[in-house]
Amino acid sequence: MREPKKLHVALFPWLAFGHIIPFFELAKHIAQRGHKISFISTPRNIQRLPKIPSNLAPRINLVSLPLPTVDHLPQDAEATSDLPSQKIPYLKIAYDGLEGPFLQFLKTSSPDWIICDFAQHWLPPIAANLGISLAFFSILSAWSVSFFGSSSSAMIKGEDPRSQPEDFTVIPEWIPFPSKVAFKLHEAKRLFQAWKEDSDVSFSGVFRIGSVLAGCDVIAVRSCNEIEAEFLRLVGEFHGKPCLPIGLLPPDDLDATCSEEDDTWLTTREWLDKQNKGSVVYIAFGSEAELSQPELNELAFGLELSGLPFFWVLRKGDNSVKLPDGFKDRVKGRGMVCTSWAPQLRILGHESVGGFLTHCGYGSVIEALYSGLALIMLPINIIDQGLIARVFGEKKVGVEVTRDESDGSFIKESVAESLRLVMVEKEGEEYRNNAKEMRKVFADKDLHDRYLDHFVEFLQNH
């Protein structure tokens, strides 16, 4: 019997670390199965990647394409985390400027497959002309892809029947089964504002993803049937092509980027070791969530009011927001605030941590449920975090902090109530138990490996 073909696969993510890291994980998994990888990004992002495991290094080639200079884009800004949100449309213009260099790479390297992101609306015709197969890897779940558009053609032409923010607060008519996937009004208003800012400067995100969905050969989704079989089926039907879950890409080890001897981890672990089992709430909003000063104040006062021990990773690109006066003194002993990088996976896996107050970034939710932790959910960004919060709220593994429907504001009392409910109260037992139960899916390495095997086989056979 003939040996299956060894592939050359090029992966080209959007310039955001919430995209780059899952793409990098996928690259490692494909390389593990014996295939050659070209991982493409800009020089600064390539430098910021985690170290490639030594056994995979011979099969993974990191390709740097210098980012073109664009008006309004600061020097050295090569990822969304380097910029305030209103400047991101200019990063998309610079990214579109990589079309020529990427075409040059394809002509000289001839990969068998390109795995691309949502942003490269110009890529499908190039791949087709060169006879290279194209996979779209969605780091968004299938429920989010379904919510944003019923078909590729409607997305490209901007034919969404929803023209007002209110229209996004109900389940779209094309989702034929019961679901709670919809925005709150304040989220829909912010989404409309962001879309306007985006389309004033660049192609809209919906046009971009519609173009990629229309022109790709297969849709790969960071997901699994155990979580959203109906939505995965629906995405394939909408877009008329195979839609393959590749599993959740759960972490391989507790944190490859952090050794047991790492100073930050030693200090953190020493503090966590002194706390009671399951008593600590961990708080982190990723590297890009932008909290306003009033939001930061209410969050801090809510933590104070809850009386719970907490570990808060407060990474702010924007230093204009600061903790309320006297906050650190008042919570001394029971609360830790860390303003640098923290080994999130190790913290989530520590036995003293009992819950996670999160912005509902998909990667963070996966990491929390990998450790069996219940969620206290405070979606911040507009794209899909609200939808993620609805889904996991419906699955009863966490609760959302109550916000004002019209403007999205929240108060310290609702923060404290949600924290206490999930962490210590009798009624919260259901959430704690369900999160532990869900860990069986999220931490099942064999299950997720089978999805990856199936996906790589598909690439080999097509």
Side-chain angles (χ1 to χ4, degrees):
M1 192 170 149
R2 215 172 50 171
E3 185 72 8
K5 180 181 176 183
K6 288 295 176 215
L7 299 171
H8 175 197
V9 181
L11 291 95
F12 188 23
W14 163 237
L15 306 177
F17 276 87
H19 293 241
I20 291 169
I21 296 302
F23 267 75
F24 192 60
E25 286 303 310
L26 179 56
K28 289 192 295 190
H29 283 292
I30 298 171
Q32 253 164 15
R33 287 156 176 80
H35 304 284
K36 180 185 164 189
I37 297 294
S38 292
F39 190 89
I40 298 135
S41 193
T42 61
R44 196 155 173 246
N45 292 330
I46 293 283
Q47 285 163 10
R48 292 186 277 191
L49 285 171
K51 201 170 177 321
I52 299 171
S54 54
N55 62 317
L56 301 179
R59 289 201 282 272
I60 299 179
N61 182 30
L62 301 176
V63 180
S64 288
L65 301 181
L67 195 66
T69 308
V70 165
D71 286 347
H72 311 293
L73 195 63
Q75 195 85 40
D76 285 345
E78 295 186 13
T80 53
S81 53
D82 302 329
L83 291 162
S85 52
Q86 64 272 22
K87 292 264 172 119
I88 289 171
Y90 300 104
L91 188 64
K92 288 181 179 164
I93 293 173
Y95 190 68
D96 289 342
L98 293 174
E99 178 179 349
F102 187 60
L103 172 60
Q104 209 41 53
F105 161 79
L106 293 175
K107 283 179 172 171
T108 53
S109 305
S110 309
D112 302 292
W113 277 91
I114 305 162
I115 299 180
C116 77
D117 212 328
F118 80 96
Q120 301 102 315
H121 61 97
W122 38 265
L123 182 51
I126 290 176
N129 288 339
L130 295 174
I132 301 171
S133 301
L134 183 65
F136 164 53
F137 173 32
S138 174
I139 64 144
L140 301 184
S141 57
W143 66 73
S144 297
V145 177
S146 305
F147 182 81
F148 282 117
S150 56
S151 71
S152 318
S153 59
M155 292 166 94
I156 296 168
K157 292 174 189 164
E159 288 174 354
D160 197 313
R162 300 169 292 185
S163 58
Q164 304 293 324
E166 289 74 10
D167 299 336
F168 283 78
T169 62
V170 292
I171 315 304
E173 60 201 23
W174 53 79
I175 294 179
F177 42 80
S179 164
K180 291 212 166 92
V181 174
F183 283 117
K184 302 275 176 75
L185 183 58
H186 66 90
E187 293 166 342
K189 285 177 180 171
R190 283 181 64 197
L191 182 72
F192 265 60
Q193 183 57 34
W195 276 351
K196 184 184 178 315
E197 288 167 9
D198 212 10
S199 52
D200 283 350
V201 173
S202 163
F203 291 99
S204 75
V206 173
F207 171 82
R208 287 172 183 274
I209 191 174
S211 305
V212 173
L213 283 164
C216 68
D217 299 294
V218 60
I219 302 162
V221 185
R222 184 184 187 179
S223 191
C224 59
N225 289 319
E226 289 70 14
I227 298 175
E228 54 163 356
E230 289 180 306
F231 279 111
L232 285 159
R233 199 162 49 246
L234 197 57
V235 169
E237 286 168 14
F238 283 168
H239 303 287
K241 54 196 63 176
C243 176
L244 303 181
I246 62 155
L248 292 169
L249 303 177
D252 272 344
D253 56 27
L254 264 182
D255 204 337
T257 55
C258 159
S259 74
E260 279 291 350
E261 285 71 45
D262 179 90
D263 287 347
T264 313
W265 171 236
L266 288 175
T267 318
T268 304
R269 188 179 62 193
E270 194 181 334
W271 185 83
L272 289 170
D273 285 346
K274 293 175 186 158
Q275 312 306 317
N276 293 333
K277 187 176 175 182
S279 68
V280 176
V281 61
Y282 174 68
I283 305 113
F285 294 131
S287 55
E288 293 181 41
E290 293 170 357
L291 286 168
S292 66
Q293 187 64 60
E295 287 174 327
L296 189 78
N297 290 346
E298 292 301 320
L299 189 55
F301 293 140
L303 284 167
E304 204 176 321
L305 191 61
S306 74
L308 296 166
F310 65 84
F311 191 97
W312 185 1
V313 180
L314 185 59
R315 288 175 71 189
K316 309 185 297 291
D318 173 13
N319 292 317
S320 61
V321 292
K322 55 185 199 304
L323 287 166
D325 289 343
F327 172 75
K328 283 189 178 175
D329 293 335
R330 294 194 299 274
V331 297
K332 202 171 179 164
R334 77 167 168 93
M336 280 275 278
V337 180
C338 168
T339 52
S340 60
W341 176 85
Q344 178 158 301
L345 286 163
R346 287 191 183 278
I347 295 169
L348 291 171
H350 193 282
E351 66 168 17
S352 73
V353 176
F356 184 12
L357 172 52
T358 172
H359 64 314
C360 294
Y362 196 27
S364 290
V365 169
I366 288 169
E367 289 176 3
L369 292 168
Y370 174 84
S371 292
L373 296 178
L375 308 169
I376 304 94
M377 299 182 284
L378 189 67
I380 304 284
N381 290 359
I382 40 186
I383 300 302
D384 65 333
Q385 292 174 4
L387 304 181
I388 289 169
R390 303 306 103 77
V391 167
F392 288 100
E394 196 177 2
K395 292 184 186 296
K396 293 271 201 301
V397 293
V399 299
E400 280 189 66
V401 173
T402 310
R403 288 172 176 263
D404 182 287
E405 229 355 277
S406 61
D407 68 3
S409 61
F410 57 89
I411 54 173
K412 61 186 179 191
E413 288 80 5
S414 57
V415 173
E417 277 165 25
S418 305
L419 285 167
R420 292 196 61 79
L421 171 68
V422 168
M423 293 294 293
V424 293
E425 283 170 15
K426 185 90 175 84
E427 304 92 282
E429 212 168 295
E430 178 182 20
Y431 303 107
R432 299 191 287 273
N433 291 340
N434 287 344
K436 288 189 185 84
E437 192 59 31
M438 201 167 268
R439 182 176 193 275
K440 291 176 185 168
V441 169
F442 278 69
D444 185 340
K445 191 175 178 325
D446 293 343
L447 172 76
H448 300 291
D449 274 348
R450 285 196 297 276
Y451 279 111
L452 285 159
D453 288 340
H454 178 60
F455 175 60
V456 174
E457 275 167 30
F458 180 93
L459 299 183
Q460 286 177 291
N461 295 332
H462 295 80

